[in-house]
Amino acid sequence: MSAIGTSTPRLDGPAKVTGTAQYAFEHTGPGEPVFLHPVTSTIARGSVTSMDTSEAESQPGVLAVLTPWNAPRLADTSEREYVICQDTDVLYRGQPIGLVLAETAEAARWAQSLVRVEYDQQPHDVGFRTDHPDVYEPEVVNGGYEPASSTGEMGPSLARAQTHGHVVDQSYSTPEEHNNPMEPHAVSAHWDPDGPLLTMYDSTQSPHGVVSTLAPVLGLETEQIRVIAPHVGGGFGSKGAPHAHDVLVALGAMHLPGRLIKYAVTRQQMFVFVGYRPRTVSRIRLASDADGRLTAIGHEAWSQSSRVKEFVEQAAVPSRSMYAAPNRRTFHHAVPLDVPAPYWMRAPGEAPGAFAAEVAMDELAEACGLDPIELRVRNDPETDPESGRPWSSRRLVDCLREGADRFGWSERPATPASRRDGRWMVGYGVASAAYPHMVQSGSQATIRAEGGGRYRVQVGAVDIGTGTWTALTLVAADALGVPAEAITLEIGDTALPYATVAGGSSGISSWGSAIFAAAGRFRTRYGDDPPAGAETTAAAGDNPELERYRAISFGAHFVEARVDADTGEIRVPRMLGVFSIGRVVNPRTVRSQFIGGMTFGLSMALHEQSVRDTRFGHVVTQNLADYHVPTHADATDIDAVWLDEVDEFATPMGTRGAGEIGNVGSAAAVVNAIHNATGARIRDLPVHADALL
Ligand code: MOS
């Protein structure tokens, strides 16, 4: 009997659909709540010379206006993203430079518009370009990876392939994109006057991460901050760390001890200071012999970064392990601009990098006259090209073949732009997907017997809408050898044992490993009939198998695209993903992760684009009317399946990460299908009709 693998409705579903699940902005605290709205800069670079707050302060309901001159002091100002109201520097347009506290949200928002700000304005530069004079090579890229890698020599292979094989040498670009979960970033917080204790109800992917990051900034011990997050309405990465809004609310709470300070970031502000996917350019160089066997793979990536904080998309990293080639080279460049700090957006690095690399593979297949699946099969590496280690399991080829069968790949037009259905040009596209299996070390779990065969399981994890409440309950049931009904799970509170971030597709792997460790120790100590009150806490040890084996989740995307021959209108009537992620904990919610990620990829391919106005420095598409995402009419038939397997090396559950892989490669499959339909090769996202006419 196993709870893992049982298709289980969300345990938190009833609370959510009946409106009793409390989100960050909805929590109540001591006394009447106080609402916060920031004052934000209207210039992109320079400094604030004066702020006249008198009119704002005289408005009904306004309790305080804080500025760099009167705000509480922060203890550590080394991380500029969190330096709010401490000095007069302006580093990007829309930067918080003050805040209003008022009895209503409306009063706070109105009053901030009345603060008169004078600036010393300096010239700014938000124009991303690969030949920017300030381009530099970073020392590390997101994920902690080395920025460069080199094996063999690119030159001779490329030269030989020019005459005896095939070469692709192209550049691909992705725009700025902004995380827009349904629930914006939001915080309700209060400062205990007898504390000091700061209690924050935060919409976050990492309750303990908020504590450990903000404690030094605020000059507190970690025990003096408690973050509570029982329910979170999506994150997509930007909630993986605190941002300016958390500091704003903390400043407000310090200024008005004993009051609950509330701030929900507006939809427009979601396009400013909570992180985003930076622009990228990837130059891909592929060389192959006449039969399509790769002899060289080069991936050089440029990523928009910020003068507030360096963040470099690790766009070239996935090319280190994806296909075999004796000669390989990757490197990264950062383009620092007067823009807010970029941060994680679903599958950072992998999503833009795989878009470029998987379109390039489609171009190579065409140059070789090979089916794009066959090209990928020919270059499937037996061991990890980067580390030389054996795979824990690599079944990319099985994903490609299974998908080809299910999708009807044999019906694909062999020649681009050769199939019509009335006005519609019809094409099929494929792309591979890969996402590294990550287990963060340090998560802990507590198991307590409650008598009558019931167990309480505590871990400071968080459910960001992905199904963690349910999945960890299934994991705990198997770890203790009891039915899921016997488990009471507690998550979403830093009063619970330490847990790592819901990010990098590592949540269930990391927290589940802790639950298995605690349950193993518990059963050794107390057996299977423990006395009520018996309790054990344990941390997951590092998994030595992950030193021996390279573990990556794999997948294959299949897309049908239709393009109107007269207008260029693009439709994607069908997407299929086949994934290899080890064991599936909850089929019902993992399918949602996959099809959600694939919809994200469809959106990346055709819709999302944050357009930055170089004159003023801000994003003009700062709402969900101008920043396009797919509607139901755009996403008609999206399906995901997976291989039936167990990865015995990856985690004690036999699982690998599943959260982000649906978004990796899916945009490339859309673009490859558009090429098959029309013959047009688009290398810059998003693809709009005008590019096809
Ligand atoms: Mo994911 S973008 O690492 O939360």
Side-chain angles (χ1 to χ4, degrees):
M1 182 210 66
S2 170
I4 291 178
T6 309
S7 188
T8 309
R10 288 165 192 268
L11 302 177
D12 48 326
K16 284 182 172 167
V17 297
T18 55
T20 55
Q22 279 194 305
Y23 289 81
F25 195 72
E26 300 169 326
H27 288 273
T28 51
E32 287 298 306
V34 173
F35 295 85
L36 182 151
H37 203 93
V39 182
T40 56
S41 72
T42 56
I43 65 165
R45 186 157 176 247
S47 58
V48 176
T49 52
S50 71
M51 291 173 76
D52 177 356
T53 58
S54 51
E55 193 180 355
E57 281 164 346
S58 70
Q59 297 302 305
V62 170
L63 302 170
V65 181
L66 301 185
T67 69
W69 288 275
N70 67 346
R73 293 297 96 185
L74 299 173
D76 179 349
T77 53
S78 57
E79 177 54 78
R80 281 228 62 103
E81 185 184 8
Y82 303 127
V83 179
I84 308 295
C85 293
Q86 304 299 297
D87 61 32
T88 56
D89 294 353
V90 175
L91 298 172
Y92 61 89
R93 187 163 200 219
Q95 175 188 311
I97 54 174
L99 64 95
V100 176
L101 299 169
E103 286 166 357
T104 66
E106 292 79 6
R109 195 167 182 169
W110 167 244
Q112 62 79 28
S113 74
L114 302 175
V115 175
R116 308 254 179 272
V117 185
E118 303 285 340
Y119 300 96
D120 172 16
Q121 187 169 358
Q122 301 293 325
H124 66 261
D125 182 357
V126 302
F128 175 85
R129 50 206 188 275
T130 56
D131 61 353
H132 193 287
D134 296 342
V135 167
Y136 67 95
E137 261 122 75
E139 284 176 21
V140 65
V141 295
N142 178 51
Y145 297 99
E146 293 281 335
S149 69
S150 180
T151 306
E153 275 194 87
M154 296 288 292
S157 316
L158 284 159
R160 181 171 171 79
Q162 296 282 4
T163 48
H164 293 82
H166 304 281
V167 173
V168 170
D169 183 352
Q170 294 290 352
S171 289
Y172 306 82
S173 73
T174 62
E176 271 188 54
E177 298 164 351
H178 278 80
N179 311 53
N180 272 285
M182 296 236 296
E183 183 203 25
H185 291 247
V187 196
S188 301
H190 60 84
W191 183 276
D192 178 351
D194 305 321
L197 176 69
L198 179 64
T199 303
M200 304 179 81
Y201 303 94
D202 195 358
S203 183
T204 178
Q205 293 172 230
S206 182
H208 280 95
V210 171
V211 169
S212 58
T213 304
L214 290 187
V217 174
L218 301 175
L220 298 174
E221 300 299 323
T222 52
E223 298 74 32
Q224 292 172 316
I225 307 181
R226 180 178 177 193
V227 171
I228 301 170
H231 301 287
V232 174
F236 308 124
S238 63
K239 293 178 185 171
H243 298 291
H245 62 290
D246 292 279
V247 179
L248 281 163
V249 172
L251 290 172
M254 289 159 95
H255 186 75
L256 289 179
R259 303 291 298 270
L260 186 71
I261 314 294
K262 286 175 175 282
Y263 174 36
V265 170
T266 65
R267 189 54 69 183
Q268 289 87 348
Q269 289 163 351
M270 289 295 292
F271 290 83
V272 189
F273 46 69
V274 295
Y276 60 98
R277 195 195 298 288
R279 283 183 68 170
T280 71
V281 166
S282 284
R283 181 185 179 197
I284 307 285
R285 290 183 297 164
L286 302 176
S288 80
D289 66 16
D291 299 327
R293 285 192 175 73
L294 286 164
T295 53
I297 299 173
H299 192 153
E300 182 173 10
W302 288 260
S303 168
Q304 169 178 318
S305 186
S306 155
R307 297 195 194 277
V308 180
K309 177 184 182 179
E310 180 183 273
F311 180 92
V312 183
E313 285 268 324
Q314 74 279 28
V317 167
S319 290
R320 295 174 187 171
S321 288
M322 198 65 207
Y323 299 111
N327 304 290
R328 293 191 314 277
R329 189 147 162 67
T330 66
F331 46 117
H332 294 83
H333 309 275
V335 185
L337 300 173
D338 300 310
V339 294
Y343 193 57
W344 300 342
M345 181 160 162
R346 205 167 189 180
E350 270 79 14
F355 156 68
E358 290 296 314
V359 175
M361 284 295 278
D362 206 62
E363 300 203 46
L364 182 64
E366 192 184 18
C368 296
L370 272 182
D371 183 283
I373 293 179
E374 178 57 28
L375 177 69
R376 288 167 170 86
V377 171
R378 273 184 203 181
N379 291 290
D380 198 56
E382 276 185 22
T383 54
D384 176 23
E386 185 182 16
S387 64
R389 296 200 299 257
W391 303 105
S392 70
S393 161
R394 177 171 171 130
R395 296 183 64 193
L396 172 61
V397 171
D398 292 337
C399 293
L400 288 162
R401 296 227 157 103
E402 171 87 17
D405 272 356
R406 288 174 178 259
F407 195 74
W409 184 252
S410 58
E411 304 291 311
R412 173 182 183 256
T415 311
S418 65
R419 177 167 308 159
R420 287 286 286 263
D421 179 5
R423 295 158 58 91
W424 297 99
M425 310 175 79
V426 182
Y428 291 6
V430 70
S432 304
Y435 194 88
H437 170 64
M438 289 189 264
V439 187
Q440 319 276 350
S441 53
S443 286
Q444 301 176 9
T446 296
I447 311 269
R448 184 157 61 242
E450 303 211 291
R454 296 203 56 83
Y455 295 85
R456 184 165 296 268
V457 176
Q458 300 177 316
V459 53
V462 64
D463 189 330
I464 64 169
T466 48
T468 299
W469 278 107
T470 316
L472 284 188
T473 299
L474 302 180
V475 167
D478 279 9
L480 287 161
V482 299
E485 295 71 36
I487 304 294
T488 301
L489 179 74
E490 290 186 85
I491 60 171
D493 190 335
T494 57
L496 300 169
Y498 178 84
T500 50
V501 63
S505 303
S506 69
I508 297 299
S509 300
S510 310
W511 312 322
S513 296
I515 290 172
F516 260 75
R521 186 179 294 180
F522 185 96
R523 293 172 81 176
T524 304
R525 191 171 295 171
Y526 300 109
D528 285 340
D529 188 19
E535 181 179 309
T536 295
T537 298
D542 287 337
N543 175 0
E545 304 294 1
L546 295 178
E547 297 295 317
R548 282 199 279 278
Y549 297 95
R550 185 74 206 276
I552 295 182
S553 287
F554 292 98
H557 294 282
F558 293 81
V559 169
E560 177 181 334
R562 296 184 160 229
V563 177
D564 186 301
D566 296 318
T567 67
E569 176 184 337
I570 304 162
R571 291 281 157 193
V572 173
R574 259 189 333 138
M575 295 179 85
L576 170 69
V578 181
F579 299 97
S580 164
I581 56 158
R583 210 156 154 226
V584 164
V585 175
N586 186 0
R588 188 182 295 230
T589 48
V590 89
R591 182 174 181 279
S592 291
Q593 285 297 290
F594 291 147
I595 64 174
M598 293 164 68
T599 309
F600 225 93
L602 173 67
S603 191
M604 181 178 179
L606 301 182
H607 300 286
E608 291 183 52
Q609 182 172 22
S610 301
V611 178
R612 204 169 275 283
D613 187 327
T614 55
R615 296 168 304 168
F616 303 106
H618 68 299
V619 169
V620 290
T621 52
Q622 55 176 339
N623 56 68
L624 293 179
D626 296 320
Y627 185 83
H628 295 171
V629 295
T631 65
H632 282 87
D634 297 304
T636 48
D637 177 2
I638 299 187
D639 199 9
V641 297
W642 47 88
L643 306 181
D644 185 13
E645 61 184 358
V646 175
D647 189 331
E648 57 185 312
F649 303 122
T651 61
M653 296 79 74
T655 60
R656 289 196 302 268
E660 282 155 287
I661 189 167
N663 184 32
V664 182
S666 37
V670 172
V671 167
N672 294 342
I674 290 170
H675 175 261
N676 185 242
T678 64
R681 182 62 73 183
I682 312 299
R683 302 186 183 91
D684 305 297
L685 295 185
V687 184
H688 288 162
D690 57 351
L692 299 172
L693 295 176

